[in-house]
Short mmCIF file of all heavy atoms in Angstrom, two decimals:
data_model
loop_
_atom_site.label_atom_id
_atom_site.label_comp_id
_atom_site.label_asym_id
_atom_site.label_seq_id
_atom_site.Cartn_x
_atom_site.Cartn_y
_atom_site.Cartn_z
N ILE U 101 5.20 4.78 13.02
CA ILE U 101 4.79 3.92 11.91
C ILE U 101 4.55 4.82 10.72
O ILE U 101 3.57 5.55 10.67
CB ILE U 101 3.53 3.13 12.25
CG1 ILE U 101 3.83 2.12 13.34
CG2 ILE U 101 3.03 2.39 11.01
CD1 ILE U 101 2.65 1.31 13.74
N ALA U 156 5.75 17.50 7.48
CA ALA U 156 4.61 16.86 8.11
C ALA U 156 4.95 16.25 9.46
O ALA U 156 4.16 16.34 10.39
CB ALA U 156 4.04 15.79 7.19
N LEU U 160 5.55 17.76 14.51
CA LEU U 160 4.78 16.99 15.48
C LEU U 160 5.66 16.20 16.42
O LEU U 160 5.17 15.35 17.16
CB LEU U 160 3.85 16.02 14.74
CG LEU U 160 2.81 16.64 13.84
CD1 LEU U 160 2.06 15.57 13.09
CD2 LEU U 160 1.84 17.45 14.67
N ARG U 165 2.32 10.38 20.07
CA ARG U 165 2.65 9.60 18.88
C ARG U 165 1.45 9.40 17.97
O ARG U 165 1.58 9.21 16.77
CB ARG U 165 3.22 8.25 19.28
CG ARG U 165 4.71 8.34 19.51
CD ARG U 165 5.21 7.14 20.25
NE ARG U 165 4.98 5.92 19.52
CZ ARG U 165 5.07 4.72 20.07
NH1 ARG U 165 5.40 4.62 21.33
NH2 ARG U 165 4.85 3.65 19.37
N LEU U 166 0.26 9.44 18.57
CA LEU U 166 -0.94 9.21 17.77
C LEU U 166 -1.11 10.27 16.69
O LEU U 166 -1.53 9.97 15.57
CB LEU U 166 -2.15 9.21 18.70
CG LEU U 166 -3.38 8.49 18.18
CD1 LEU U 166 -3.02 7.06 17.84
CD2 LEU U 166 -4.46 8.51 19.22
N THR U 167 -0.76 11.53 17.01
CA THR U 167 -0.93 12.59 16.02
C THR U 167 -0.08 12.31 14.79
O THR U 167 -0.53 12.50 13.66
CB THR U 167 -0.55 13.96 16.60
OG1 THR U 167 0.69 13.81 17.28
CG2 THR U 167 -1.57 14.48 17.54
N ILE U 170 -1.69 9.58 12.72
CA ILE U 170 -2.82 10.07 11.92
C ILE U 170 -2.32 10.87 10.73
O ILE U 170 -2.83 10.74 9.61
CB ILE U 170 -3.77 10.91 12.81
CG1 ILE U 170 -4.36 10.04 13.91
CG2 ILE U 170 -4.88 11.51 11.99
CD1 ILE U 170 -5.16 10.80 14.94
N THR U 171 -1.29 11.70 10.96
CA THR U 171 -0.70 12.45 9.84
C THR U 171 -0.20 11.50 8.77
O THR U 171 -0.41 11.73 7.57
CB THR U 171 0.48 13.29 10.35
OG1 THR U 171 0.06 14.00 11.49
CG2 THR U 171 0.95 14.25 9.30
N ILE U 173 -1.21 8.51 8.07
CA ILE U 173 -2.35 7.95 7.36
C ILE U 173 -2.88 8.97 6.36
O ILE U 173 -3.22 8.66 5.22
CB ILE U 173 -3.45 7.52 8.35
CG1 ILE U 173 -2.96 6.33 9.19
CG2 ILE U 173 -4.72 7.13 7.61
CD1 ILE U 173 -3.90 5.92 10.28
N GLY U 174 -2.92 10.24 6.80
CA GLY U 174 -3.38 11.30 5.91
C GLY U 174 -2.51 11.42 4.67
O GLY U 174 -3.02 11.52 3.55
N PHE U 177 -3.15 8.58 2.30
CA PHE U 177 -4.38 8.73 1.52
C PHE U 177 -4.23 9.79 0.44
O PHE U 177 -4.69 9.61 -0.68
CB PHE U 177 -5.54 9.08 2.44
CG PHE U 177 -6.32 7.88 2.82
CD1 PHE U 177 -5.68 6.82 3.42
CD2 PHE U 177 -7.67 7.78 2.54
CE1 PHE U 177 -6.36 5.69 3.75
CE2 PHE U 177 -8.37 6.65 2.87
CZ PHE U 177 -7.72 5.60 3.47
N THR U 178 -3.56 10.89 0.80
CA THR U 178 -3.37 11.95 -0.19
C THR U 178 -2.61 11.42 -1.40
O THR U 178 -3.00 11.65 -2.55
CB THR U 178 -2.59 13.12 0.43
OG1 THR U 178 -3.18 13.43 1.68
CG2 THR U 178 -2.63 14.32 -0.46
N TYR U 181 -4.68 8.23 -3.26
CA TYR U 181 -5.90 8.63 -3.97
C TYR U 181 -5.65 9.85 -4.85
O TYR U 181 -6.34 10.02 -5.85
CB TYR U 181 -7.04 8.85 -2.99
CG TYR U 181 -7.58 7.54 -2.49
CD1 TYR U 181 -7.11 6.98 -1.33
CD2 TYR U 181 -8.50 6.82 -3.24
CE1 TYR U 181 -7.55 5.75 -0.90
CE2 TYR U 181 -8.95 5.59 -2.82
CZ TYR U 181 -8.47 5.07 -1.64
OH TYR U 181 -8.90 3.85 -1.23
N ASP U 186 -7.62 11.73 -12.57
CA ASP U 186 -7.06 11.94 -13.90
C ASP U 186 -7.18 13.40 -14.29
O ASP U 186 -7.81 13.76 -15.26
CB ASP U 186 -7.67 10.99 -14.94
CG ASP U 186 -9.13 10.78 -14.68
OD1 ASP U 186 -9.68 11.53 -13.88
OD2 ASP U 186 -9.72 9.89 -15.30
N TYR U 304 -1.40 -1.67 -0.37
CA TYR U 304 -1.42 -3.06 0.07
C TYR U 304 -0.04 -3.66 0.23
O TYR U 304 0.22 -4.36 1.20
CB TYR U 304 -2.33 -3.90 -0.83
CG TYR U 304 -3.74 -3.76 -0.37
CD1 TYR U 304 -4.57 -2.79 -0.87
CD2 TYR U 304 -4.22 -4.57 0.65
CE1 TYR U 304 -5.86 -2.61 -0.39
CE2 TYR U 304 -5.50 -4.41 1.15
CZ TYR U 304 -6.32 -3.43 0.63
OH TYR U 304 -7.58 -3.26 1.11
N PHE U 310 4.62 -3.76 6.21
CA PHE U 310 4.54 -3.35 7.60
C PHE U 310 4.30 -4.57 8.49
O PHE U 310 4.92 -4.73 9.54
CB PHE U 310 3.44 -2.32 7.78
CG PHE U 310 3.22 -2.00 9.21
CD1 PHE U 310 4.16 -1.31 9.91
CD2 PHE U 310 2.08 -2.43 9.85
CE1 PHE U 310 4.00 -1.05 11.24
CE2 PHE U 310 1.90 -2.17 11.18
CZ PHE U 310 2.86 -1.48 11.88
N ILE U 318 9.58 -4.83 15.05
CA ILE U 318 9.84 -3.60 14.30
C ILE U 318 10.98 -2.81 14.95
O ILE U 318 11.12 -2.78 16.16
CB ILE U 318 8.54 -2.76 14.17
CG1 ILE U 318 8.72 -1.66 13.15
CG2 ILE U 318 8.08 -2.23 15.50
CD1 ILE U 318 7.41 -1.13 12.62
N THR U 345 -7.98 -17.49 -2.36
CA THR U 345 -8.66 -16.20 -2.20
C THR U 345 -8.46 -15.61 -0.81
O THR U 345 -8.91 -14.51 -0.53
CB THR U 345 -10.17 -16.35 -2.44
OG1 THR U 345 -10.62 -17.53 -1.79
CG2 THR U 345 -10.46 -16.45 -3.92
N TRP U 346 -7.79 -16.35 0.07
CA TRP U 346 -7.64 -15.87 1.44
C TRP U 346 -6.30 -15.18 1.66
O TRP U 346 -5.92 -14.90 2.79
CB TRP U 346 -7.78 -17.03 2.44
CG TRP U 346 -9.18 -17.50 2.57
CD1 TRP U 346 -9.86 -18.30 1.71
CD2 TRP U 346 -10.10 -17.17 3.61
NE1 TRP U 346 -11.13 -18.50 2.15
CE2 TRP U 346 -11.31 -17.82 3.31
CE3 TRP U 346 -10.01 -16.38 4.76
CZ2 TRP U 346 -12.43 -17.70 4.13
CZ3 TRP U 346 -11.13 -16.28 5.57
CH2 TRP U 346 -12.33 -16.93 5.24
N PHE U 352 -2.64 -11.04 7.78
CA PHE U 352 -3.04 -10.41 9.04
C PHE U 352 -3.28 -11.45 10.12
O PHE U 352 -3.00 -11.20 11.29
CB PHE U 352 -4.28 -9.56 8.81
CG PHE U 352 -3.97 -8.30 8.06
CD1 PHE U 352 -4.40 -8.13 6.77
CD2 PHE U 352 -3.21 -7.31 8.64
CE1 PHE U 352 -4.10 -6.98 6.07
CE2 PHE U 352 -2.91 -6.16 7.96
CZ PHE U 352 -3.36 -6.00 6.66
N GLY U 353 -3.82 -12.61 9.73
CA GLY U 353 -4.03 -13.67 10.71
C GLY U 353 -2.70 -14.09 11.32
O GLY U 353 -2.57 -14.26 12.54
N LEU U 360 0.16 -12.24 19.43
CA LEU U 360 -0.44 -12.79 20.64
C LEU U 360 0.59 -13.60 21.41
O LEU U 360 0.59 -13.63 22.63
CB LEU U 360 -1.65 -13.66 20.30
CG LEU U 360 -2.90 -12.87 19.93
CD1 LEU U 360 -4.04 -13.81 19.64
CD2 LEU U 360 -3.28 -11.94 21.06
N PRO U 363 4.36 -10.27 21.84
CA PRO U 363 3.83 -8.94 21.52
C PRO U 363 4.87 -8.01 20.90
O PRO U 363 4.52 -7.03 20.27
CB PRO U 363 3.39 -8.39 22.88
CG PRO U 363 3.24 -9.57 23.74
CD PRO U 363 4.19 -10.60 23.26
N GLU U 373 7.03 -0.48 30.43
CA GLU U 373 6.53 0.89 30.28
C GLU U 373 6.92 1.73 31.49
O GLU U 373 6.74 1.32 32.63
CB GLU U 373 5.02 0.85 30.13
CG GLU U 373 4.45 2.16 29.67
CD GLU U 373 3.68 2.00 28.38
OE1 GLU U 373 3.78 0.94 27.74
OE2 GLU U 373 2.96 2.92 28.03
N VAL U 375 6.55 4.94 33.97
CA VAL U 375 5.43 5.77 34.44
C VAL U 375 5.87 7.23 34.46
O VAL U 375 6.94 7.52 34.96
CB VAL U 375 4.98 5.34 35.85
CG1 VAL U 375 3.79 6.16 36.28
CG2 VAL U 375 4.63 3.87 35.83
N PHE V 770 -6.51 3.41 19.62
CA PHE V 770 -6.71 3.81 18.24
C PHE V 770 -7.10 2.60 17.40
O PHE V 770 -6.28 1.75 17.08
CB PHE V 770 -5.45 4.45 17.70
CG PHE V 770 -5.71 5.32 16.52
CD1 PHE V 770 -6.56 6.41 16.64
CD2 PHE V 770 -5.13 5.07 15.31
CE1 PHE V 770 -6.82 7.22 15.56
CE2 PHE V 770 -5.38 5.88 14.22
CZ PHE V 770 -6.22 6.96 14.35
N ARG V 834 -2.77 -7.18 25.58
CA ARG V 834 -1.31 -7.23 25.49
C ARG V 834 -0.74 -6.16 24.57
O ARG V 834 0.43 -5.87 24.64
CB ARG V 834 -0.87 -8.60 24.96
CG ARG V 834 -1.40 -9.75 25.77
CD ARG V 834 -0.72 -11.02 25.40
NE ARG V 834 0.70 -11.01 25.72
CZ ARG V 834 1.48 -12.05 25.58
NH1 ARG V 834 1.00 -13.18 25.09
NH2 ARG V 834 2.76 -11.98 25.88
N ARG V 836 -0.71 -2.32 22.70
CA ARG V 836 -1.17 -0.96 22.86
C ARG V 836 -0.64 -0.09 21.74
O ARG V 836 0.24 -0.49 21.00
CB ARG V 836 -0.81 -0.40 24.22
CG ARG V 836 0.60 -0.70 24.65
CD ARG V 836 0.82 -0.28 26.07
NE ARG V 836 -0.02 -1.03 27.01
CZ ARG V 836 0.21 -1.07 28.31
NH1 ARG V 836 1.20 -0.39 28.81
NH2 ARG V 836 -0.55 -1.76 29.10
N ASP V 838 0.31 1.75 18.55
CA ASP V 838 0.40 1.45 17.12
C ASP V 838 0.07 -0.01 16.83
O ASP V 838 -0.56 -0.33 15.84
CB ASP V 838 1.81 1.73 16.60
CG ASP V 838 2.34 3.05 17.10
OD1 ASP V 838 1.51 3.90 17.44
OD2 ASP V 838 3.57 3.21 17.13
N TYR V 839 0.51 -0.90 17.72
CA TYR V 839 0.31 -2.32 17.47
C TYR V 839 -1.18 -2.65 17.46
O TYR V 839 -1.66 -3.41 16.62
CB TYR V 839 1.01 -3.15 18.54
CG TYR V 839 2.49 -3.24 18.34
CD1 TYR V 839 3.32 -2.18 18.60
CD2 TYR V 839 3.06 -4.42 17.87
CE1 TYR V 839 4.67 -2.26 18.40
CE2 TYR V 839 4.41 -4.52 17.67
CZ TYR V 839 5.23 -3.44 17.94
OH TYR V 839 6.56 -3.52 17.74
N ILE V 842 -2.79 -1.58 14.25
CA ILE V 842 -2.55 -2.44 13.10
C ILE V 842 -3.34 -3.75 13.24
O ILE V 842 -3.79 -4.33 12.25
CB ILE V 842 -1.04 -2.67 12.89
CG1 ILE V 842 -0.76 -2.86 11.42
CG2 ILE V 842 -0.52 -3.84 13.66
CD1 ILE V 842 -0.94 -1.65 10.62
N VAL V 843 -3.53 -4.22 14.48
CA VAL V 843 -4.32 -5.44 14.65
C VAL V 843 -5.79 -5.19 14.30
O VAL V 843 -6.43 -6.01 13.65
CB VAL V 843 -4.16 -5.98 16.08
CG1 VAL V 843 -5.23 -7.01 16.38
CG2 VAL V 843 -2.80 -6.62 16.24
N GLY V 846 -6.00 -5.14 10.67
CA GLY V 846 -5.93 -6.50 10.16
C GLY V 846 -7.24 -7.24 10.36
O GLY V 846 -7.70 -7.95 9.47
N GLU V 849 -9.71 -6.25 7.78
CA GLU V 849 -9.42 -6.85 6.48
C GLU V 849 -9.79 -8.33 6.48
O GLU V 849 -10.32 -8.86 5.50
CB GLU V 849 -7.94 -6.69 6.15
CG GLU V 849 -7.56 -5.28 5.78
CD GLU V 849 -8.26 -4.83 4.50
OE1 GLU V 849 -8.08 -5.49 3.47
OE2 GLU V 849 -8.99 -3.84 4.55
N ILE V 850 -9.51 -9.01 7.61
CA ILE V 850 -9.84 -10.44 7.69
C ILE V 850 -11.34 -10.63 7.54
O ILE V 850 -11.81 -11.52 6.81
CB ILE V 850 -9.34 -11.04 9.02
CG1 ILE V 850 -7.82 -11.11 9.03
CG2 ILE V 850 -9.92 -12.43 9.24
CD1 ILE V 850 -7.23 -11.58 10.33
N ALA V 854 -13.12 -12.75 4.72
CA ALA V 854 -13.98 -13.86 5.12
C ALA V 854 -15.35 -13.72 4.48
O ALA V 854 -15.92 -14.69 3.96
CB ALA V 854 -14.10 -13.89 6.64
N ASN V 857 -15.49 -14.60 0.88
CA ASN V 857 -15.34 -16.01 0.55
C ASN V 857 -16.45 -16.89 1.11
O ASN V 857 -16.34 -18.11 1.07
CB ASN V 857 -13.99 -16.51 1.07
CG ASN V 857 -12.87 -16.01 0.21
OD1 ASN V 857 -12.81 -16.28 -0.97
ND2 ASN V 857 -12.00 -15.22 0.80
N VAL V 910 -0.81 3.47 32.20
CA VAL V 910 -0.04 2.90 33.31
C VAL V 910 -0.50 3.50 34.63
O VAL V 910 -0.72 2.78 35.63
CB VAL V 910 1.46 3.14 33.10
CG1 VAL V 910 2.25 2.54 34.24
CG2 VAL V 910 1.90 2.55 31.78
N VAL V 956 -10.95 1.89 3.42
CA VAL V 956 -11.30 3.27 3.10
C VAL V 956 -12.48 3.74 3.95
O VAL V 956 -12.50 4.85 4.48
CB VAL V 956 -11.61 3.40 1.61
CG1 VAL V 956 -12.09 4.79 1.29
CG2 VAL V 956 -10.39 3.07 0.79
N MET V 959 -11.38 4.45 7.38
CA MET V 959 -10.67 5.72 7.48
C MET V 959 -11.63 6.90 7.44
O MET V 959 -11.42 7.90 8.11
CB MET V 959 -9.64 5.86 6.37
CG MET V 959 -8.46 4.95 6.50
SD MET V 959 -7.83 4.82 8.18
CE MET V 959 -7.41 6.51 8.47
N GLN V 1006 -16.38 14.15 -10.60
CA GLN V 1006 -15.11 13.82 -9.96
C GLN V 1006 -15.12 14.08 -8.47
O GLN V 1006 -14.13 13.80 -7.81
CB GLN V 1006 -14.00 14.62 -10.61
CG GLN V 1006 -13.61 14.04 -11.95
CD GLN V 1006 -12.43 14.75 -12.54
OE1 GLN V 1006 -12.16 15.88 -12.17
NE2 GLN V 1006 -11.73 14.10 -13.42
N GLN V 1009 -14.08 11.20 -6.50
CA GLN V 1009 -12.64 10.93 -6.62
C GLN V 1009 -11.83 11.87 -5.74
O GLN V 1009 -10.87 11.47 -5.10
CB GLN V 1009 -12.18 11.14 -8.06
CG GLN V 1009 -12.42 9.97 -8.95
CD GLN V 1009 -11.71 10.18 -10.28
OE1 GLN V 1009 -11.10 11.22 -10.52
NE2 GLN V 1009 -11.79 9.19 -11.13
N MET V 1012 -11.36 11.51 -1.38
CA MET V 1012 -10.37 10.79 -0.59
C MET V 1012 -9.08 11.58 -0.39
O MET V 1012 -8.61 11.70 0.73
CB MET V 1012 -10.09 9.41 -1.18
CG MET V 1012 -11.26 8.47 -1.11
SD MET V 1012 -12.21 8.54 0.40
CE MET V 1012 -10.98 7.97 1.56
N PRO V 1013 -8.46 12.11 -1.48
CA PRO V 1013 -7.27 12.93 -1.23
C PRO V 1013 -7.55 14.12 -0.33
O PRO V 1013 -6.70 14.49 0.49
CB PRO V 1013 -6.81 13.39 -2.61
CG PRO V 1013 -7.68 12.74 -3.59
CD PRO V 1013 -8.68 11.89 -2.91
N GLY V 1016 -7.39 13.00 3.15
CA GLY V 1016 -6.00 12.84 3.57
C GLY V 1016 -5.38 14.16 3.95
O GLY V 1016 -4.80 14.30 5.03
N LEU V 1017 -5.55 15.16 3.06
CA LEU V 1017 -4.98 16.49 3.35
C LEU V 1017 -5.59 17.07 4.61
O LEU V 1017 -4.91 17.69 5.42
CB LEU V 1017 -5.23 17.43 2.16
CG LEU V 1017 -4.25 17.29 1.01
CD1 LEU V 1017 -4.61 18.27 -0.09
CD2 LEU V 1017 -2.84 17.55 1.50
N LEU V 1019 -6.66 15.49 7.21
CA LEU V 1019 -6.03 14.89 8.38
C LEU V 1019 -4.69 15.55 8.66
O LEU V 1019 -4.38 15.91 9.80
CB LEU V 1019 -5.81 13.39 8.15
CG LEU V 1019 -6.96 12.46 8.42
CD1 LEU V 1019 -6.55 11.04 8.17
CD2 LEU V 1019 -7.42 12.60 9.85
N MET V 1023 -3.88 17.82 11.92
CA MET V 1023 -2.90 17.40 12.92
C MET V 1023 -1.86 18.49 13.13
O MET V 1023 -1.36 18.69 14.23
CB MET V 1023 -2.22 16.11 12.48
CG MET V 1023 -3.06 14.88 12.67
SD MET V 1023 -3.51 14.65 14.39
CE MET V 1023 -5.25 14.89 14.32
N LEU V 1024 -1.49 19.19 12.03
CA LEU V 1024 -0.47 20.22 12.16
C LEU V 1024 -1.00 21.46 12.87
O LEU V 1024 -0.30 22.10 13.64
CB LEU V 1024 0.07 20.61 10.78
CG LEU V 1024 0.93 19.53 10.11
CD1 LEU V 1024 1.29 19.96 8.70
CD2 LEU V 1024 2.19 19.28 10.92
#
Side-chain angles (χ1 to χ4, degrees):
Chain U
I101 293 179
L160 298 175
R165 274 164 61 194
L166 202 57
T167 46
I170 297 172
T171 311
I173 293 174
F177 264 57
T178 312
Y181 285 93
D186 37 13
Y304 276 91
F310 173 69
I318 193 160
T345 44
W346 287 78
F352 287 110
L360 284 181
E373 193 122 347
V375 183
Chain V
F770 202 60
R834 305 192 65 175
R836 44 188 63 164
D838 314 337
Y839 283 74
I842 211 69
V843 165
E849 287 296 302
I850 290 175
N857 285 300
V910 180
V956 175
M959 290 318 300
Q1006 284 185 338
Q1009 277 191 357
M1012 294 320 295
L1017 279 180
L1019 276 181
M1023 283 300 114
L1024 290 174

